[in-house]
Amino acid sequence: MEFSIKSGSPEKQRTACVVVGVFEPRKLSVPGEIINQAAGNHISDLLRRGDMEGKAGTTLLLHNVPGTLCDRVLLVGLGKEKDFREKEFRDAVSTAVRTLNETGAFDASLTLTELPVKKRDMSWRIRQTTLMVFETLYRFDRYKSKKDEVRRPLRKLTLSVESRTDLSAAETALMQGQAIAAGMNFAKDLGNLPGNVCTPTYLAEQALGMRKEHKLKVEVLERADMEKLGMGSLLSVTLGSHQPPKFIILRHDGGKKGEKPVVLVGKGVTFDTGGISLKPGPEMDEMKYDMCGAASVLGSMKAIAQMALPANVIGLIPTVENMPGGGASRPGDIVTSMSGQTVEILNTDAEGRLILCDALTYAERFEPACVIDIATLTGACVIALGHVASGLFANDDGLARELLHAGQNAYDRAWQLPLWDDYQEQLKSPFADMANIGGRPAGSITAACFLARYTKKYHWAHLDVAGTAWKSGKEKGATGRPVPLLTHFLLARVGAQVG
Ligand code: BES
Ligand code: MN
Ligand code: ZN
């Protein structure tokens, strides 16, 4: 998709279609009213006749509207003006793009970007619009022999802003939106790929591929390297698999020399059968998504590289496949992590924490400003927060606040859960320093408590994205979350206004 930004005069746009919003009941948005005036009240007459109410999700396509230079005008219902918020804005953009793609219009001018959204500025609207365009058009049909080709897909989209003084800020927001969307699409593709294709080796190759395309430094540690580092916990997860483990390190050196980096750590279990503590059959296919934390790190690194973000950011990806097999860990096995702490593996299905703990210890060497891990860690998080919010845990309140705020701004929200020491009790083991499970109560919290034992040396936050990284059911597919949250967090850290 080719994007551009323009200011003013919707009636003078020479384009296949101008999109304007209509509030319920029958109230044209400001750009809509301008077109209506130029058209001698043609549109308001139609509305008065009852052709459209303005209900959210509805559209009306008009041809040959007098007084305009465009071929068509697409009216998009916005719902009631007083209820028009972030979600309604995003939905309206999505409806517009889906409809445009079906009308046969090759290019279009979108005036929805001028609609006021409470507490949000023009840059927010441009960024979110760009994200929603990509979101709406995303398909994963790599393995379909017959693809659902759109007859005449939308190719060019002009986003309008109210005034010329908005142009440069809008261009910046557009650039950010495109970079974040590219990162999300990358993360979605990786997530949607089947487990027999997206292996640890494949993830490592993808990361190495980012060296050429972007100015990222990428290094991959092999099993022998991890053995030398003493990553006994991580390596134990890989014992039942024929796929070799990889430890991926990406660096974006966009900040000043010596400036402490933000470190992102992503869980990269390319398929989670549960191991010897085998998962039940139904929906097990969805465990190909157990590397979505890793995908979100790769996606975020891609986005910030494309934006040339002026910050130092490091991505760490421990990646393995969790399989049963003759060599696999047994319940009761005890392993020694890189930190020296020992772990009794009471359930081989609690493998995410076993690979993350060694990555979190490895992160110490970067003297990080902060470390954020992202993981599809617990089914319990889906029970607690559903598919709306990601679970957030942190050992630093300032960092937690920054992440919650970034999630709000990005419309990729998280909700904080407690990390109190009282929960640590549940991880006691009679034989090792800790067990890898804490029983059914507060399953997401005890998982986070396990990780907290490895992150005492720096500010740290953990995002449990088990409920938000992908969708099940008819619309099964990776969401690209939490790339928006992470990139907004990083943008805010370098002083960009993203609210
Ligand atoms: N990858 C799963 C978590 C998961 C399960 C995410 C379902 C999304 C949907 C993780 O490795 C896991 O299996 N966790 C166990 C932990 C338990 C054994 C303590 C879980 O949540 O059941
Ligand atoms: Mn598991
Ligand atoms: Zn898992």
Side-chain angles (χ1 to χ4, degrees):
M1 180 75 62
E2 199 183 303
F3 285 91
S4 58
I5 307 265
K6 257 197 190 143
S7 71
S9 314
E11 76 286 7
K12 292 191 190 130
Q13 304 281 325
R14 274 182 203 285
T15 161
C17 190
V18 175
V19 181
V20 302
V22 181
F23 288 111
E24 191 184 350
R26 304 177 297 277
K27 185 186 172 213
L28 281 163
S29 57
V30 174
E33 192 48 48
I34 295 174
I35 294 195
N36 182 48
Q37 299 280 318
N41 289 329
H42 180 81
I43 303 177
S44 54
D45 286 348
L46 285 174
L47 293 178
R48 203 160 348 98
R49 273 198 330 228
D51 287 39
M52 191 195 200
E53 275 300 309
K55 277 204 188 346
T58 62
T59 58
L60 183 64
L61 186 63
L62 310 176
H63 296 271
N64 309 318
V65 174
T68 63
L69 297 178
C70 55
D71 304 336
R72 310 168 182 81
V73 172
L74 176 66
L75 304 183
V76 174
L78 305 172
K80 299 214 171 69
E81 193 166 11
K82 68 166 176 43
D83 300 332
F84 193 72
R85 306 234 162 77
E86 282 119 334
K87 180 176 186 300
E88 288 72 21
F89 178 85
R90 287 164 54 96
D91 288 350
V93 172
S94 183
T95 302
V97 171
R98 207 173 329 110
T99 311
L100 283 169
N101 223 21
E102 287 159 9
T103 57
F106 177 75
D107 65 331
S109 182
L110 202 63
T111 69
L112 302 179
T113 42
E114 295 185 42
L115 295 168
V117 179
K118 229 176 263 162
K119 292 194 190 148
R120 299 302 187 189
D121 62 7
M122 179 277 308
S123 294
W124 183 92
R125 298 189 307 249
I126 296 285
R127 215 178 300 108
Q128 286 291 322
T129 297
T130 313
L131 293 180
M132 281 316 282
V133 172
F134 279 88
E135 175 76 36
T136 309
L137 298 178
Y138 178 82
R139 297 278 176 284
F140 186 77
D141 54 11
R142 214 175 289 184
Y143 296 99
K144 292 268 193 198
S145 333
K146 276 210 194 83
K147 320 217 189 267
D148 293 339
E149 297 286 358
V150 178
R151 196 173 44 86
R152 292 193 55 193
L154 182 66
R155 290 266 160 72
K156 278 168 117 176
L157 198 57
T158 303
L159 310 181
S160 73
V161 293
E162 245 173 270
S163 110
R164 295 187 55 83
T165 56
D166 287 336
L167 287 174
S168 104
E171 291 286 356
T172 303
L174 170 62
M175 178 278 285
Q176 293 166 343
Q178 285 176 297
I180 296 168
M184 287 177 77
N185 278 3
F186 186 38
K188 287 182 193 179
D189 281 349
L190 291 171
N192 287 329
L193 281 169
N196 62 329
V197 174
C198 185
T199 58
T201 304
Y202 183 87
L203 282 182
E205 282 165 3
Q206 291 299 305
L208 288 167
M210 291 166 74
R211 275 204 286 218
K212 271 190 225 122
E213 200 187 331
H214 306 287
K215 275 196 221 131
L216 287 163
K217 294 186 188 126
V218 185
E219 196 188 335
V220 177
L221 306 185
E222 304 293 332
R223 190 196 307 268
D225 304 313
M226 292 183 255
E227 276 166 4
K228 272 191 214 119
L229 286 162
M231 294 182 166
S233 182
L234 186 161
L235 289 170
S236 76
V237 178
T238 205
L239 295 172
S241 171
H242 294 299
Q243 295 294 335
K246 305 279 171 181
F247 192 96
I248 307 167
I249 303 156
L250 307 104
R251 302 182 71 117
H252 168 78
D253 296 327
K256 294 196 192 78
K257 251 217 164 86
E259 189 182 287
K260 289 187 169 179
V262 172
V263 178
L264 306 176
V265 180
K267 171 179 172 183
V269 176
T270 60
F271 197 86
D272 181 12
T273 63
I276 296 300
S277 313
L278 193 64
K279 285 183 181 296
E283 277 117 57
M284 208 211 275
D285 65 289
E286 296 191 10
M287 282 301 115
K288 71 174 182 178
Y289 290 116
D290 212 17
M291 35 55 69
C292 281
S296 77
V297 172
L298 290 171
S300 298
M301 295 302 287
K302 186 186 184 75
I304 62 168
Q306 193 169 316
M307 285 189 249
L309 190 87
N312 296 332
V313 183
I314 291 171
L316 299 180
I317 297 174
T319 172
V320 301
E321 186 183 54
N322 187 23
M323 295 290 259
S329 292
R330 302 148 275 268
D333 282 5
I334 295 178
V335 296
T336 304
S337 65
M338 184 178 170
S339 71
Q341 301 178 91
T342 56
V343 182
E344 185 184 16
I345 302 175
L346 288 179
N347 189 320
T348 63
D349 197 11
E351 84 298 340
R353 60 199 82 180
L354 294 176
I355 69 168
L356 288 169
C357 70
D358 282 340
L360 291 167
T361 301
Y362 188 83
E364 287 174 8
R365 68 184 54 208
F366 301 108
E367 294 178 29
C370 63
V371 177
I372 303 160
D373 79 73
I374 306 98
T376 49
L377 202 63
T378 62
C381 194
V382 191
I383 304 303
L385 299 173
H387 304 287
V388 177
S390 304
L392 172 70
F393 302 83
N395 65 10
D396 179 76
D397 285 339
L399 179 58
R401 231 171 299 129
E402 279 181 69
L403 287 163
L404 289 170
H405 198 61
Q408 290 279 353
N409 289 338
Y411 207 80
D412 178 10
R413 292 163 298 178
W415 192 259
Q416 193 175 2
L417 295 165
L419 195 61
W420 299 322
D421 275 343
D422 311 57
Y423 292 101
Q424 289 287 358
E425 293 287 311
Q426 289 174 237
L427 292 173
K428 277 195 175 146
S429 156
F431 305 117
D433 296 339
M434 70 197 87
N436 78 329
I437 53 169
R440 273 169 57 83
S444 304
I445 301 176
T446 52
C449 282
F450 181 95
L451 300 178
R453 295 178 181 226
Y454 297 84
T455 57
K456 298 219 163 110
K457 299 203 176 132
Y458 45 69
H459 292 321
W460 160 75
H462 158 60
L463 284 164
D464 193 332
V465 295
T468 53
W470 77 90
K471 288 185 190 154
S472 311
K474 228 175 49 225
E475 287 180 30
K476 189 182 282 185
T479 60
R481 291 177 69 182
V483 171
L485 182 157
L486 294 169
T487 46
H488 278 68
F489 164 79
L490 292 165
L491 276 166
R493 278 212 147 212
V494 301
Q497 288 292 322
V498 287

